[in-house]
Amino acid sequence: MIDLRLSESSCFCVSPKPNVVYHADWGSKEEKRWCARATLGTVGNCTAFAPKLVDNLGSLIGQLRMEAGETGCALAGFDLPIGVPAFYAKRAGIASFRTLLKRLGHRKWKGFYSVCDKPDQISVHRPFYPKDKFKGRRKDDLFRGRGVSSLEPLLRRCERGGNGHKQACCLFWTLGGNQVGKAAVIGWRDVLAPALRNGGAVSLWPYDGPLPSLFVPGSVVVAETYPAECYGWFPNDPLGSKRNQDDRKKFGTSLLRWSGAEKVTLEDGLRKEIHAGFSQGDDAFDAVVGLFGMLKVCLSQRSPGEPNEPIIREIEGWILGRES
């Protein structure tokens, strides 16, 4: 559909292309949810825009579809888990995450999004714990509620670490700085599940097929992202700490260098933010880094990366661009 210029370093074929690319650095609080977007033209031109706060969660997918138009399509990346661990799926009788997502919040899954207050409330139909920062809440409680003695069975394969990656936090744990449970609840409940139930042309990667096959006119393709995954994709200026503005500014030289080499036009507001080291903070920074990582995939400089295994494509999902 869209023919984009390939750089000399291109080594993967991902065609056709979306004409709108959107990335959201997700969080459980409104002020922690930032997004950035880019448009891809028919003659290889690409324009990236300044980050802003995410708004109107219920209409987000619909807005992207309208922006892409009837003949275009959008690729939307969300920094939150899009899938469940295989061990949990087996216990809960889940054969398809896509089907599960549409059912959550209804019938036997009615209490799914209600975070448990006490360990004895934990079940396959109500898996998130704990609700508040009460003294004595431990991950051991979560393990016992699942019938396991360690964290690993409660992690998806892409969360288990190794090969240079850190082990992620369990999807169902909701306390601490690296927890993702509350963000997943909001993203699934308020954005993804309603979009799937409304019957629009929404595809989930990798569940609905290889990435290029999902880029069809009028569609929005949703993928899981992880901005920290992308830091090493711009290796000339390694990131020190994303929470340090000077470190973000230094890393920004790699973003500027890459965008210049690939003839990606930076809107004035975005260019100023990169030069300033992202004065709005590390969430805005991650929104842009994640966007640039998605553009690398769209420009065929990096493979989408999903393993060709049924458990990944049906239950657990994958992080866009992570090598399998």
Side-chain angles (χ1 to χ4, degrees):
M1 177 175 53
I2 303 297
D3 182 21
L4 287 177
R5 180 182 67 85
L6 301 183
S7 72
E8 294 180 358
S9 61
S10 298
C11 55
F12 299 102
C13 182
V14 179
S15 180
K17 313 292 183 186
N19 60 327
V20 174
V21 181
Y22 171 95
H23 180 254
D25 183 61
W26 208 253
S28 58
K29 298 179 180 179
E30 290 184 18
E31 64 271 20
K32 300 291 287 182
R33 294 194 289 269
W34 283 78
C35 63
R37 52 179 278 277
T39 57
L40 306 181
T42 57
V43 292
N45 54 311
C46 175
T47 303
F49 299 88
K52 64 178 184 178
L53 286 168
V54 176
D55 59 2
N56 300 321
L57 302 189
S59 61
L60 196 160
I61 299 297
Q63 290 173 350
L64 290 173
R65 184 182 295 112
M66 289 181 61
E67 184 176 351
E70 294 182 358
T71 59
C73 68
L75 174 61
F78 293 88
D79 175 24
L80 56 88
I82 303 180
V84 294
F87 176 87
Y88 165 78
K90 184 176 182 180
R91 291 197 70 189
I94 299 166
S96 163
F97 175 73
R98 195 185 204 284
T99 301
L100 170 70
L101 195 53
K102 292 189 289 185
R103 294 175 177 172
L104 296 179
H106 301 276
R107 296 185 179 180
K108 68 179 181 180
W109 296 99
K110 185 177 181 179
F112 182 84
Y113 295 125
S114 178
V115 181
C116 297
D117 289 308
K118 301 176 181 179
D120 59 8
Q121 295 174 328
I122 300 172
S123 70
V124 294
H125 297 116
R126 193 179 173 190
F128 293 97
Y129 173 85
K131 184 176 181 179
D132 297 302
K133 293 183 179 181
F134 295 138
K135 184 177 180 180
R137 296 308 193 247
R138 300 175 303 171
K139 287 186 180 179
D140 286 352
D141 296 331
L142 194 65
F143 300 162
R144 285 194 294 271
R146 298 284 174 273
V148 299
S149 59
S150 67
L151 180 64
E152 185 166 318
L154 302 183
L155 296 175
R156 298 178 297 154
R157 180 169 148 186
C158 62
E159 297 169 336
R160 293 183 179 181
N163 195 29
H165 303 291
K166 293 181 179 180
Q167 187 181 81
C169 186
C170 172
L171 164 66
F172 303 122
W173 183 253
T174 60
L175 290 184
N178 67 338
Q179 66 87 17
V180 294
K182 291 180 179 177
V185 166
I186 294 170
W188 296 3
R189 182 191 63 201
D190 300 340
V191 180
L192 301 186
L196 291 177
R197 286 196 293 263
N198 288 341
V202 179
S203 298
L204 295 183
W205 174 86
Y207 304 101
D208 293 326
L211 191 62
S213 70
L214 304 181
F215 294 144
V216 298
S219 69
V220 177
V221 181
V222 173
E224 177 180 347
T225 61
Y226 183 39
E229 179 81 20
C230 307
Y231 297 160
W233 302 358
F234 305 91
N236 290 326
D237 297 288
L239 179 65
S241 169
K242 72 173 185 176
R243 292 178 174 80
N244 183 291
Q245 188 170 352
D246 288 336
D247 286 347
R248 297 195 299 264
K249 183 177 180 179
K250 182 179 179 182
F251 186 85
T253 61
S254 289
L255 303 181
L256 293 170
R257 188 181 300 113
W258 178 82
S259 60
E262 297 304 319
K263 301 191 184 311
V264 175
T265 300
L266 304 182
E267 176 258 347
D268 287 344
L270 174 56
R271 186 174 291 276
K272 290 178 181 177
E273 276 303 303
I274 294 176
H275 279 294
F278 293 86
S279 59
Q280 297 129 320
D282 60 282
D283 298 307
F285 169 76
D286 272 347
V288 172
V289 173
L291 174 69
F292 277 37
M294 293 175 70
L295 290 176
K296 270 185 168 278
V297 174
C298 291
L299 291 169
S300 302
Q301 295 181 0
R302 193 170 185 92
S303 166
E306 78 277 12
N308 189 22
E309 298 177 21
I311 198 67
I312 300 296
R313 294 180 177 272
E314 296 167 9
I315 300 295
E316 292 199 339
W318 198 252
I319 296 169
L320 186 68
R322 172 166 289 189
E323 295 180 353
S324 61

